[in-house]
Amino acid sequence: MQERRARWAKTLGVSAVEVDAALAEAGLTIADAERLSEQVVGVHGLPLGLVVGLPLDGAAHVVPMAIEEPSVVAAANHGAKMARAAQNVGFRSTSMGGVMTAQIHLQNAGEVLTAADESQVREAADASVPNLVARGGGARDLRVRRLAPDLVCVELDVDCQEAMGANLTDTVAEAVAPVLAKVLGGEVVMAILTNLCAGRRTRVELAVPEAAVGGAHVASRIALASRIAALDPARACTHNKGVLNGIEAVAVATGNDWRAVSAGAHAWAASTGAYQPLATWTHADETLYGVLELPLALGVVGGARRLHRAAALAARPLTRRVLEAEATAVGLACNLAALRALVDEGIQRGHMKLAKRGQP
Ligand code: MEV
């Protein structure tokens, strides 16, 4: 444990003493827990583990995961190990930037916004988040959709820069709602962000030599498992659960809203009308190709991290963009390891060996 902590401290650029202090009392003192939430009776602990040597965009990353299921941290590390065989960069990430979307639903309203209306809405939006505007963020695209003869939805994109952005987007939504009611008529029903933040997607790709996953036969069966998930929503659900095992454990470790992550991921998976696998695999030219893309809003400052010392430490050296890329790469690593086990020896052998660890 001490060796692992020392290695993590080095990655984080802090002393081992600082790591020990942040992780004391499960990373959250009872006094801080009382400040963080309501009706508090204690602090609920989870094991905090590490993915070591995750190859991402040409560098080796150490990524924390908070999760009770032992096989998930093992799967992430196994996936990272297989990905290290992808010579050049390992996982390769691309990101759309920090845009969230505010939704304002109105009843009995019009749907035509003039240029003057639009600038009034944007002005109200920017005036509600002056610090964000000073940092280069603020109101962006504006769309109006008619949902039903009596219902309209106005969507306003908000560039949240380095923030996770939920609070900022909710603030903007509430600030522009009365302006919209004035220019479109009708009545505001509600104003809040959407967790389907389609303008804030992270994509991670991996091209791994088939030999690294057990040879041509196993690689083609991993691609077959991906095809099955695309044909069968019940299998896609479990396939995506394996992806989210990794992403949500990183979200929890870094003090992020993992419910927002899962809501956005499942809505994205169903966005074509048929529930689809988030991660897909193909096999060609002696190489296994994997892609995972999903909406993902994580933060590295503020929020629970103000009081949760372990989460603040875990998120400390990162930018939002790097954390989102790391979490997505861990999700693809977990999926690769799960499929590798499923199409070969079966999940129970390795999984159950680990699951039995905690039993008396
Ligand atoms: C278990 O936590 C996750 C798996 O079920 C994922 C999958 O089936 O792909 C093993």
Side-chain angles (χ1 to χ4, degrees), residues 191-207:
I192 193 162
L193 89 170
T194 169
N195 289 117
L196 177 53
C197 43
R200 181 161 170 170
R201 301 200 302 276
T202 298
R203 181 183 173 94
V204 160
E205 294 176 32
L206 178 70

Side-chain angles (χ1 to χ4, degrees), residues 12-33:
L12 293 167
V14 301
S15 70
V17 175
E18 275 177 87
V19 170
D20 287 345
L23 297 184
E25 297 184 70
L28 180 67
T29 66
I30 191 90
D32 283 339

Side-chain angles (χ1 to χ4, degrees), residues 44-71:
H44 184 125
L46 279 176
L48 182 67
L50 297 176
V51 190
V52 182
L54 180 85
L56 171 63
D57 296 327
H61 293 236
V62 176
V63 188
M65 302 175 78
I67 189 161
E68 85 298 345
E69 193 180 339
S71 59

